[in-house]
Coordinates of all heavy atoms in Angstrom, one line a residue:
P24 N 24.7 -10.9 -9.7 CA 24.5 -10.3 -8.3 C 23.3 -10.8 -7.6 O 22.3 -11.1 -8.4 CB 24.4 -8.8 -8.6 CG 24.1 -8.6 -9.9 CD 24.5 -9.9 -10.7
S25 N 23.3 -11.1 -6.3 CA 22.1 -11.5 -5.7 C 21.7 -10.4 -4.7 O 22.5 -9.5 -4.3 CB 22.5 -12.9 -5.0 OG 23.5 -12.6 -4.0
V26 N 20.5 -10.6 -4.3 CA 19.9 -9.6 -3.4 C 19.3 -10.4 -2.1 O 18.6 -11.3 -2.4 CB 18.7 -8.7 -4.0 CG1 18.1 -7.9 -3.0 CG2 19.3 -8.0 -5.2
F27 N 19.7 -9.9 -1.0 CA 19.0 -10.6 0.2 C 18.1 -9.6 0.9 O 18.5 -8.5 1.2 CB 20.2 -11.0 1.2 CG 19.7 -11.5 2.4 CD1 19.1 -12.8 2.6 CD2 19.8 -10.6 3.7 CE1 18.7 -13.1 3.8 CE2 19.2 -11.1 4.9 CZ 18.7 -12.3 4.9
I28 N 16.9 -10.0 1.2 CA 16.0 -9.2 2.0 C 15.7 -10.0 3.2 O 15.1 -11.1 3.1 CB 14.7 -8.9 1.2 CG1 15.0 -8.1 0.0 CG2 13.7 -8.3 2.1 CD1 13.8 -7.8 -0.9
G29 N 16.2 -9.5 4.3 CA 16.0 -10.2 5.6 C 14.9 -9.6 6.4 O 14.3 -8.6 6.0
T30 N 14.5 -10.3 7.5 CA 13.5 -9.8 8.3 C 14.1 -9.0 9.4 O 14.6 -9.4 10.4 CB 12.8 -10.9 9.1 OG1 12.3 -11.9 8.1 CG2 11.6 -10.4 9.9
S31 N 14.3 -7.7 9.0 CA 14.9 -6.7 9.9 C 14.2 -5.4 9.7 O 13.6 -5.1 8.7 CB 16.3 -6.5 9.5 OG 16.9 -5.4 10.1
T32 N 14.1 -4.6 10.8 CA 13.4 -3.4 10.8 C 14.1 -2.3 9.8 O 13.5 -1.4 9.4 CB 13.2 -2.7 12.1 OG1 14.5 -2.6 12.7 CG2 12.4 -3.6 13.0
A33 N 15.4 -2.6 9.6 CA 16.1 -1.6 8.6 C 15.5 -1.7 7.2 O 15.7 -0.8 6.5 CB 17.6 -2.1 8.6
I34 N 14.8 -2.8 6.8 CA 14.3 -2.9 5.5 C 13.2 -1.9 5.3 O 12.8 -1.6 4.1 CB 13.8 -4.4 5.2 CG1 13.5 -4.6 3.8 CG2 12.5 -4.7 6.0 CD1 14.7 -4.6 2.9
Q35 N 12.6 -1.4 6.3 CA 11.5 -0.4 6.2 C 11.9 0.8 5.4 O 11.0 1.4 4.7 CB 10.9 -0.1 7.5 CG 11.6 1.0 8.3 CD 10.8 1.5 9.4 OE1 9.7 1.9 9.4 NE2 11.5 1.6 10.6
E36 N 13.2 1.2 5.4 CA 13.6 2.4 4.6 C 13.5 2.0 3.1 O 13.1 2.9 2.3 CB 15.0 2.7 4.9 CG 15.2 3.4 6.4 CD 14.4 4.5 6.5 OE1 14.2 5.4 5.6 OE2 13.7 4.7 7.6
A37 N 13.8 0.8 2.8 CA 13.7 0.4 1.3 C 12.3 0.4 1.0 O 11.8 0.8 -0.2 CB 14.3 -0.9 1.2
W38 N 11.4 -0.2 1.9 CA 9.9 -0.3 1.5 C 9.4 1.2 1.4 O 8.5 1.4 0.6 CB 9.2 -1.0 2.7 CG 9.5 -2.4 2.7 CD1 9.8 -3.2 3.8 CD2 9.3 -3.4 1.7 NE1 9.9 -4.5 3.4 CE2 9.7 -4.7 2.1 CE3 9.1 -3.3 0.2 CZ2 9.6 -5.9 1.4 CZ3 9.2 -4.4 -0.5 CH2 9.5 -5.7 0.0
K39 N 9.9 2.1 2.2 CA 9.4 3.5 2.1 C 9.7 4.1 0.8 O 8.9 4.8 0.2 CB 9.9 4.4 3.2 CG 9.3 4.1 4.6 CD 10.0 5.1 5.7 CE 9.5 4.8 7.0 NZ 10.2 5.6 8.0
R40 N 11.0 3.8 0.3 CA 11.4 4.3 -1.0 C 10.5 3.8 -2.1 O 10.0 4.4 -3.0 CB 12.8 4.0 -1.3 CG 13.7 4.9 -0.4 CD 15.2 4.8 -0.9 NE 15.7 3.5 -0.9 CZ 16.3 2.9 0.2 NH1 16.3 3.6 1.4 NH2 16.8 1.7 0.2
V41 N 10.2 2.4 -2.0 CA 9.4 1.8 -3.0 C 8.0 2.3 -3.0 O 7.3 2.6 -3.9 CB 9.3 0.2 -2.7 CG1 8.2 -0.4 -3.5 CG2 10.6 -0.4 -3.0
A42 N 7.4 2.6 -1.7 CA 6.1 3.2 -1.6 C 6.0 4.6 -2.1 O 5.0 4.9 -2.8 CB 5.7 3.1 -0.1
D43 N 7.0 5.4 -1.9 CA 7.1 6.8 -2.4 C 7.0 6.8 -3.9 O 6.4 7.5 -4.5 CB 8.3 7.5 -1.9 CG 8.2 7.9 -0.4 OD1 7.1 7.8 0.2 OD2 9.3 8.1 0.2
M44 N 7.9 5.9 -4.5 CA 8.0 5.8 -6.0 C 6.7 5.3 -6.6 O 6.1 5.8 -7.6 CB 9.1 5.0 -6.4 CG 10.4 5.6 -6.2 SD 10.6 7.3 -6.9 CE 10.5 7.0 -8.6
F45 N 6.1 4.3 -5.9 CA 4.9 3.7 -6.4 C 3.7 4.8 -6.3 O 3.0 4.9 -7.3 CB 4.4 2.5 -5.5 CG 3.0 2.0 -5.9 CD1 3.0 1.0 -6.8 CD2 1.9 2.4 -5.3 CE1 1.7 0.4 -7.1 CE2 0.6 1.9 -5.5 CZ 0.6 0.9 -6.5
T46 N 3.7 5.6 -5.2 CA 2.7 6.6 -5.1 C 2.8 7.6 -6.2 O 1.8 8.1 -6.8 CB 2.7 7.3 -3.7 OG1 2.5 6.2 -2.7 CG2 1.8 8.4 -3.5
I47 N 4.0 8.1 -6.4 CA 4.2 9.1 -7.5 C 3.8 8.6 -8.9 O 3.0 9.2 -9.5 CB 5.7 9.5 -7.5 CG1 6.1 10.3 -6.3 CG2 6.1 10.3 -8.8 CD1 7.6 10.4 -6.2
M48 N 4.2 7.4 -9.2 CA 3.9 6.8 -10.5 C 2.4 6.5 -10.6 O 1.7 6.8 -11.6 CB 4.6 5.6 -10.8 CG 6.2 5.9 -11.0 SD 7.2 4.4 -11.3 CE 6.6 4.1 -13.0
F49 N 1.7 5.9 -9.5 CA 0.3 5.7 -9.5 C -0.5 7.0 -9.7 O -1.5 7.0 -10.4 CB 0.0 4.9 -8.3 CG -1.5 4.5 -8.3 CD1 -2.0 3.7 -9.3 CD2 -2.3 4.8 -7.3 CE1 -3.4 3.3 -9.3 CE2 -3.7 4.4 -7.2 CZ -4.1 3.7 -8.3
R50 N -0.2 8.0 -9.0 CA -0.9 9.3 -9.0 C -0.8 9.9 -10.4 O -1.8 10.5 -11.0 CB -0.4 10.4 -8.1 CG -0.4 10.0 -6.6 CD -1.9 10.0 -6.2 NE -2.0 9.5 -4.7 CZ -2.4 8.3 -4.3 NH1 -2.8 7.4 -5.2 NH2 -2.4 7.9 -3.1
R51 N 0.3 9.6 -11.1 CA 0.4 10.1 -12.6 C -0.1 9.1 -13.5 O -0.2 9.3 -14.7 CB 1.9 10.3 -12.8 CG 2.5 11.4 -12.1 CD 4.0 11.5 -12.5 NE 4.6 12.6 -11.7 CZ 5.9 12.8 -11.8 NH1 6.7 12.0 -12.5 NH2 6.4 13.8 -11.0
K52 N -0.6 7.9 -13.0 CA -1.1 6.8 -13.8 C -0.1 6.3 -14.8 O -0.5 5.9 -16.0 CB -2.4 7.2 -14.4 CG -3.6 7.5 -13.4 CD -4.9 7.7 -14.1 CE -5.9 8.1 -13.1 NZ -6.4 7.0 -12.2
A53 N 1.2 6.5 -14.4 CA 2.3 6.0 -15.3 C 2.1 4.4 -15.5 O 2.1 3.7 -14.5 CB 3.6 6.4 -14.7
F54 N 2.2 4.0 -16.7 CA 2.1 2.6 -17.1 C 0.9 1.8 -16.7 O 0.8 0.7 -16.9 CB 3.4 1.8 -16.5 CG 4.7 2.5 -16.8 CD1 5.4 3.2 -16.0 CD2 5.2 2.3 -18.0 CE1 6.6 3.8 -16.2 CE2 6.5 2.8 -18.5 CZ 7.1 3.6 -17.5
L55 N -0.1 2.6 -16.1 CA -1.3 1.9 -15.6 C -2.1 1.3 -16.7 O -2.7 0.2 -16.5 CB -2.2 3.0 -14.9 CG -3.4 2.4 -14.1 CD1 -2.9 1.5 -13.0 CD2 -4.2 3.6 -13.5
H56 N -2.0 1.9 -17.9 CA -2.7 1.4 -19.1 C -2.3 -0.1 -19.4 O -3.0 -0.9 -19.9 CB -2.6 2.3 -20.2 CG -1.3 2.5 -20.8 ND1 -0.4 3.3 -20.1 CD2 -0.8 1.9 -21.9 CE1 0.7 3.2 -20.9 NE2 0.5 2.4 -22.0
W57 N -1.0 -0.3 -19.3 CA -0.5 -1.6 -19.5 C -1.2 -2.7 -18.7 O -1.5 -3.9 -19.1 CB 1.0 -1.7 -19.3 CG 1.8 -1.0 -20.3 CD1 2.4 0.2 -20.1 CD2 2.0 -1.2 -21.7 NE1 3.1 0.7 -21.3 CE2 2.8 -0.2 -22.2 CE3 1.6 -2.3 -22.5 CZ2 3.2 -0.2 -23.6 CZ3 1.9 -2.3 -23.9 CH2 2.7 -1.3 -24.3
Y58 N -1.4 -2.4 -17.4 CA -2.0 -3.3 -16.5 C -3.5 -3.5 -16.6 O -4.0 -4.5 -16.6 CB -1.6 -3.0 -15.1 CG -0.1 -3.1 -14.8 CD1 0.7 -2.0 -14.9 CD2 0.6 -4.3 -14.5 CE1 2.1 -2.0 -14.7 CE2 1.9 -4.4 -14.4 CZ 2.7 -3.3 -14.5 OH 4.1 -3.3 -14.4
T59 N -4.1 -2.3 -16.8 CA -5.7 -2.3 -17.0 C -6.0 -3.0 -18.3 O -7.0 -3.6 -18.4 CB -6.2 -0.9 -16.9 OG1 -5.6 -0.1 -17.8 CG2 -6.0 -0.4 -15.4
G60 N -5.1 -2.8 -19.3 CA -5.3 -3.5 -20.6 C -5.3 -5.0 -20.5 O -5.8 -5.7 -21.3
E61 N -4.6 -5.6 -19.5 CA -4.4 -6.9 -19.3 C -5.5 -7.5 -18.4 O -5.4 -8.6 -18.0 CB -3.0 -7.3 -18.8 CG -1.9 -7.0 -19.9 CD -2.1 -7.9 -21.1 OE1 -2.5 -9.2 -21.0 OE2 -1.8 -7.4 -22.2
G62 N -6.3 -6.6 -17.9 CA -7.5 -7.1 -17.0 C -7.4 -6.7 -15.6 O -8.3 -7.1 -14.8
M63 N -6.3 -6.0 -15.2 CA -6.3 -5.6 -13.8 C -7.2 -4.4 -13.6 O -7.3 -3.6 -14.5 CB -4.9 -5.3 -13.4 CG -3.9 -6.5 -13.2 SD -2.3 -6.0 -12.6 CE -2.7 -5.6 -10.9
D64 N -7.8 -4.4 -12.3 CA -8.5 -3.2 -12.0 C -7.6 -2.2 -11.3 O -6.8 -2.5 -10.5 CB -9.7 -3.7 -11.0 CG -10.7 -2.6 -10.8 OD1 -10.5 -1.8 -10.0 OD2 -11.7 -2.8 -11.4
E65 N -8.0 -1.0 -11.4 CA -7.3 0.1 -10.8 C -7.3 0.0 -9.3 O -6.4 0.4 -8.6 CB -7.8 1.5 -11.3 CG -7.0 2.6 -11.0 CD -7.4 3.9 -11.7 OE1 -7.8 3.9 -12.8 OE2 -7.2 5.0 -11.0
M66 N -8.4 -0.5 -8.8 CA -8.6 -0.7 -7.4 C -7.5 -1.6 -6.8 O -7.1 -1.5 -5.6 CB -10.0 -1.2 -7.0 CG -10.4 -1.1 -5.7 SD -10.4 0.7 -5.2 CE -11.4 0.7 -3.9
E67 N -7.0 -2.6 -7.6 CA -6.0 -3.5 -7.1 C -4.7 -2.7 -6.7 O -4.0 -3.1 -5.8 CB -5.6 -4.5 -8.2 CG -6.8 -5.5 -8.3 CD -6.5 -6.5 -9.4 OE1 -5.8 -7.4 -9.1 OE2 -7.0 -6.3 -10.6
F68 N -4.5 -1.6 -7.4 CA -3.3 -0.7 -7.1 C -3.4 0.0 -5.8 O -2.5 0.1 -5.1 CB -3.0 0.1 -8.4 CG -2.5 -0.5 -9.5 CD1 -3.4 -0.9 -10.5 CD2 -1.2 -0.8 -9.7 CE1 -2.9 -1.6 -11.7 CE2 -0.7 -1.5 -10.8 CZ -1.5 -1.9 -11.8
T69 N -4.7 0.5 -5.7 CA -5.0 1.2 -4.4 C -4.8 0.3 -3.3 O -4.3 0.6 -2.2 CB -6.5 1.7 -4.4 OG1 -6.6 2.6 -5.6 CG2 -6.8 2.6 -3.2
E70 N -5.3 -1.0 -3.4 CA -5.2 -2.0 -2.4 C -3.7 -2.4 -2.1 O -3.3 -2.4 -0.9 CB -5.9 -3.3 -2.7 CG -5.9 -4.3 -1.6 CD -6.7 -5.5 -2.0 OE1 -7.6 -5.5 -2.9 OE2 -6.5 -6.6 -1.3
A71 N -2.9 -2.4 -3.1 CA -1.5 -2.8 -3.0 C -0.8 -1.6 -2.3 O 0.1 -1.8 -1.5 CB -0.8 -3.0 -4.5
E72 N -1.1 -0.4 -2.6 CA -0.5 0.7 -2.0 C -0.8 0.8 -0.4 O 0.0 0.9 0.4 CB -1.0 2.0 -2.6 CG -0.4 3.3 -2.0 CD -0.9 4.5 -2.8 OE1 -2.1 4.5 -3.3 OE2 -0.2 5.6 -2.8
S73 N -2.1 0.4 -0.2 CA -2.5 0.3 1.2 C -1.8 -0.7 2.0 O -1.4 -0.6 3.2 CB -4.0 0.0 1.3 OG -4.4 -0.1 2.7
N74 N -1.7 -2.0 1.3 CA -0.9 -3.1 1.9 C 0.5 -2.7 2.2 O 1.1 -3.1 3.2 CB -1.0 -4.3 1.0 CG -2.4 -4.9 1.0 OD1 -3.2 -4.6 1.9 ND2 -2.6 -5.7 -0.1
L75 N 1.1 -2.1 1.3 CA 2.6 -1.7 1.5 C 2.7 -0.7 2.6 O 3.6 -0.8 3.4 CB 3.1 -1.0 0.2 CG 4.6 -0.7 0.1 CD1 5.5 -2.0 0.5 CD2 5.0 -0.2 -1.3
N76 N 1.8 0.3 2.8 CA 1.9 1.3 3.9 C 1.6 0.5 5.2 O 2.2 0.9 6.2 CB 0.8 2.4 3.6 CG 1.2 3.3 2.5 OD1 2.5 3.5 2.3 ND2 0.3 3.9 1.8
D77 N 0.7 -0.5 5.2 CA 0.5 -1.3 6.4 C 1.8 -2.0 6.8 O 2.1 -2.1 8.0 CB -0.6 -2.2 6.2 CG -2.0 -1.7 6.2 OD1 -2.1 -0.4 6.5 OD2 -2.9 -2.3 5.7
L78 N 2.5 -2.6 5.8 CA 3.7 -3.2 6.0 C 4.8 -2.3 6.7 O 5.5 -2.7 7.7 CB 4.3 -3.9 4.8 CG 5.6 -4.6 4.8 CD1 5.4 -5.9 5.7 CD2 6.1 -4.9 3.4
I79 N 4.9 -1.2 6.2 CA 5.8 -0.1 6.7 C 5.5 0.2 8.1 O 6.3 0.3 9.0 CB 5.9 1.1 5.8 CG1 6.4 0.7 4.4 CG2 6.7 2.3 6.5 CD1 6.3 1.8 3.4
S80 N 4.2 0.3 8.4 CA 3.7 0.7 9.8 C 4.1 -0.4 10.7 O 4.4 -0.2 11.9 CB 2.2 0.9 9.8 OG 1.9 2.0 9.0
E81 N 3.9 -1.6 10.3 CA 4.2 -2.8 11.1 C 5.8 -2.8 11.5 O 6.1 -3.0 12.7 CB 3.9 -4.2 10.5 CG 2.3 -4.5 10.6 CD 2.1 -5.8 10.0 OE1 2.8 -6.8 10.5 OE2 1.2 -6.0 9.2
Y82 N 6.5 -2.6 10.5 CA 8.0 -2.6 10.8 C 8.3 -1.4 11.8 O 9.1 -1.6 12.6 CB 8.8 -2.5 9.4 CG 9.1 -3.8 8.9 CD1 8.4 -4.3 7.8 CD2 10.1 -4.7 9.3 CE1 8.7 -5.5 7.2 CE2 10.3 -5.9 8.8 CZ 9.6 -6.3 7.7 OH 9.9 -7.5 7.1
Q83 N 7.6 -0.3 11.6 CA 7.9 0.8 12.5 C 7.5 0.5 13.9 O 8.2 0.9 14.8 CB 7.1 2.0 12.0 CG 7.4 3.3 12.8 CD 8.8 3.8 12.6 OE1 9.4 3.9 11.6 NE2 9.5 4.0 13.8
Q84 N 6.4 -0.3 14.0 CA 5.9 -0.7 15.4 C 7.0 -1.5 16.0 O 7.3 -1.4 17.2 CB 4.6 -1.3 15.4 CG 3.4 -0.4 15.0 CD 2.1 -1.1 14.8 OE1 2.1 -2.4 14.9 NE2 1.0 -0.4 14.6
Y85 N 7.5 -2.5 15.2 CA 8.6 -3.4 15.7 C 9.8 -2.7 16.1 O 10.4 -2.9 17.1 CB 8.8 -4.5 14.8 CG 7.8 -5.5 14.5 CD1 7.4 -5.8 13.2 CD2 7.1 -6.1 15.6 CE1 6.3 -6.7 13.0 CE2 6.0 -7.0 15.4 CZ 5.7 -7.3 14.1 OH 4.6 -8.2 13.9
Q86 N 10.1 -1.7 15.3 CA 11.3 -1.0 15.6 C 11.2 -0.1 16.9 O 12.1 0.0 17.7 CB 11.6 0.0 14.4 CG 12.9 0.8 14.6 CD 13.3 1.6 13.4 OE1 12.8 1.4 12.3 NE2 14.1 2.6 13.5
D87 N 9.9 0.6 17.0 CA 9.7 1.3 18.2 C 9.7 0.4 19.4 O 10.3 0.8 20.5 CB 8.3 2.0 18.1 CG 8.4 3.1 17.0 OD1 9.5 3.4 16.5 OD2 7.3 3.6 16.6
A88 N 9.2 -0.7 19.4 CA 9.1 -1.7 20.5 C 10.5 -2.1 20.9 O 10.8 -2.2 22.1 CB 8.2 -2.8 20.2
T89 N 11.4 -2.4 19.9 CA 12.7 -2.8 20.2 C 13.5 -1.6 20.8 O 14.2 -1.9 21.8 CB 13.3 -3.3 18.8 OG1 12.6 -4.3 18.3 CG2 14.8 -3.7 19.1
A90 N 13.3 -0.5 20.3 CA 14.0 0.7 20.9 C 13.5 0.9 22.3 O 14.4 1.1 23.2 CB 13.7 1.9 20.1
E91 N 12.3 0.7 22.6 CA 11.8 0.9 24.0 C 12.4 -0.2 24.9 O 12.8 0.1 26.1 CB 10.2 0.8 24.1 CG 9.6 2.0 23.5 CD 8.0 1.8 23.5 OE1 7.5 1.0 24.2 OE2 7.4 2.7 22.8
E92 N 12.5 -1.4 24.4 CA 13.1 -2.5 25.2 C 14.7 -2.2 25.5 O 15.1 -2.4 26.6 CB 13.0 -3.8 24.5 CG 11.5 -4.4 24.5 CD 11.3 -5.6 23.7 OE1 12.4 -6.2 23.2 OE2 10.3 -6.0 23.5
E93 N 15.3 -1.7 24.5 CA 16.7 -1.5 24.6 C 16.9 -0.3 25.6 O 17.8 -0.3 26.4 CB 17.2 -1.1 23.3 CG 17.5 -2.3 22.4 CD 18.0 -1.9 21.0 OE1 18.1 -0.8 20.7 OE2 18.2 -2.9 20.2
D94 N 16.0 0.8 25.5 CA 16.1 1.8 26.5 C 15.9 1.3 28.0 O 16.6 1.8 28.9 CB 15.0 3.0 26.2 CG 15.4 3.8 24.9 OD1 16.6 3.6 24.5 OD2 14.5 4.4 24.4
E95 N 15.0 0.5 28.1 CA 14.6 -0.1 29.5 C 15.8 -0.9 30.0 O 16.2 -0.8 31.2 CB 13.4 -1.0 29.4 CG 12.1 -0.2 29.2 CD 10.9 -1.1 29.0 OE1 11.0 -2.2 29.2 OE2 9.8 -0.5 28.8
E96 N 16.4 -1.7 29.1 CA 17.6 -2.4 29.5 C 18.8 -1.6 29.9 O 19.4 -1.8 30.8 CB 18.0 -3.4 28.3 CG 17.1 -4.6 28.1 CD 17.4 -5.4 26.9 OE1 18.4 -5.2 26.3 OE2 16.6 -6.3 26.5
D97 N 19.0 -0.5 29.1 CA 20.1 0.5 29.4 C 19.9 1.1 30.8 O 20.7 1.2 31.5 CB 20.2 1.5 28.3 CG 20.7 1.0 26.9 OD1 21.3 -0.1 27.0 OD2 20.5 1.7 25.9
F98 N 18.6 1.5 31.0 CA 18.2 2.1 32.3 C 18.5 1.1 33.4 O 19.1 1.5 34.5 CB 16.8 2.5 32.3 CG 16.3 3.2 33.6 CD1 16.6 4.5 33.7 CD2 15.7 2.5 34.6 CE1 16.2 5.2 34.9 CE2 15.4 3.2 35.7 CZ 15.6 4.5 35.9
E99 N 18.2 -0.2 33.2 CA 18.4 -1.1 34.3 C 19.8 -1.4 34.5 O 20.2 -1.5 35.6 CB 17.6 -2.4 33.9 CG 16.1 -2.4 34.1 CD 15.4 -3.6 33.5 OE1 16.1 -4.5 33.1 OE2 14.2 -3.6 33.5
D100 N 20.6 -1.4 33.4 CA 22.0 -1.6 33.5 C 22.7 -0.4 34.3 O 23.6 -0.6 35.1 CB 22.7 -1.8 32.1 CG 22.3 -3.1 31.5 OD1 21.8 -3.9 32.2 OD2 22.5 -3.2 30.2
N101 N 22.3 0.7 34.0 CA 22.8 1.9 34.6 C 22.4 2.2 36.0 O 23.2 2.8 36.8 CB 22.6 3.1 33.7 CG 23.3 3.1 32.4 OD1 24.4 2.5 32.3 ND2 22.8 3.7 31.3
Y102 N 21.1 1.9 36.3 CA 20.6 2.2 37.6 C 20.2 1.1 38.5 O 19.6 1.3 39.5 CB 19.4 3.2 37.3 CG 19.8 4.5 36.7 CD1 19.6 4.7 35.4 CD2 20.5 5.5 37.4 CE1 19.9 5.9 34.8 CE2 20.9 6.7 36.7 CZ 20.6 6.9 35.5 OH 21.0 8.0 34.8
G103 N 20.5 -0.2 38.0 CA 20.5 -1.3 38.8 C 19.0 -1.7 39.2 O 18.8 -2.2 40.2
E104 N 18.0 -1.5 38.4 CA 16.7 -1.9 38.8 C 16.4 -3.3 38.4 O 16.8 -3.8 37.4 CB 15.6 -0.9 38.2 CG 15.6 0.3 38.9 CD 14.3 1.1 38.6 OE1 13.3 0.5 37.9 OE2 14.3 2.3 38.7

């Protein structure tokens, strides 16, 4: 099976699920010892979590902007401006 990840605002739901699971596991420090034992710093996980949340926020901004544009187009179509 193959997986396609496209540049669509719909992907933000998948990123949110990943972020939620990451946060739960990171707070519990689940599997963290495997990574720190190989030389990773715990701060790298905090940075990754922040980057993922930033990505989700960006997709949300694009989705909001697209929705506003569609609303404006619908208004213009209906009221002839």
Side-chain angles (χ1 to χ4, degrees):
S25 63
V26 175
F27 173 76
I28 296 180
T30 306
S31 167
T32 56
I34 194 68
Q35 82 170 308
E36 292 303 318
W38 290 130
K39 284 180 184 178
R40 287 191 301 275
V41 169
D43 290 344
M44 291 305 299
F45 177 88
T46 299
I47 290 168
M48 293 180 72
F49 183 55
R50 298 292 176 253
R51 293 180 183 171
K52 298 190 184 286
F54 305 103
L55 191 61
H56 65 284
W57 290 107
Y58 297 96
T59 55
E61 293 294 323
M63 286 185 73
D64 190 284
E65 195 170 321
M66 197 60 162
E67 292 178 80
F68 290 93
T69 303
E70 184 178 345
E72 183 178 29
S73 176
N74 291 342
L75 186 54
N76 288 328
D77 289 345
L78 179 68
I79 292 167
S80 293
E81 281 187 50
Y82 274 104
Q83 184 64 48
Q84 288 174 356
Y85 292 131
Q86 182 175 341
D87 292 347
T89 302
E91 286 176 15
E92 288 174 7
E93 289 174 357
D94 287 346
E95 289 173 5
E96 289 173 7
D97 288 345
F98 182 82
E99 289 173 2
D100 290 345
N101 291 330
Y102 298 102
E104 283 191 22

